[in-house]
Amino acid sequence: MQQRIIIRNVLKGIGIVGIILFILGSPRSYYLLIGSVASLFLGLTDFGRQCPLILSVQHHLNRMKSRRQSQIL
């Protein structure tokens, strides 16, 4: 749990530093902006942990089974 918080804070920091460097006008700034926005997105949201669960076929099958059981009751 603690490691996850550290990784998210590092990603946020990288994103913020990248955006600041883009504003200051560093060379190759568009590549830097894309990378920093992506790392900031992953740091602010929990998408990296939830994405495999959302895309999982087993997850969808379990949801369909639970919906069918709740409709019968």
Side-chain angles (χ1 to χ4, degrees):
M1 181 71 171
Q2 193 72 351
Q3 183 181 8
R4 193 177 302 155
I5 293 171
I6 292 170
I7 292 172
R8 289 181 70 186
N9 286 336
V10 167
L11 285 172
K12 287 182 218 176
I14 291 171
I16 291 171
V17 169
I19 290 173
I20 290 172
L21 288 175
F22 172 75
I23 292 171
L24 295 177
S26 68
R28 298 186 184 185
S29 59
Y30 291 110
Y31 295 119
L32 181 67
L33 179 66
I34 292 170
S36 61
V37 168
S39 66
L40 189 63
F41 173 75
L42 291 175
L44 291 175
T45 65
D46 212 9
F47 182 77
R49 186 178 62 85
Q50 293 175 356
C51 182
L53 177 65
I54 292 169
L55 300 177
S56 166
V57 174
Q58 186 67 35
H59 173 72
H60 287 294
L61 291 175
N62 289 338
R63 285 186 62 199
M64 289 171 51
K65 285 179 186 176
S66 68
R67 284 184 181 172
R68 273 191 253 138
Q69 288 175 356
S70 65
Q71 289 176 353
I72 294 172
L73 296 174

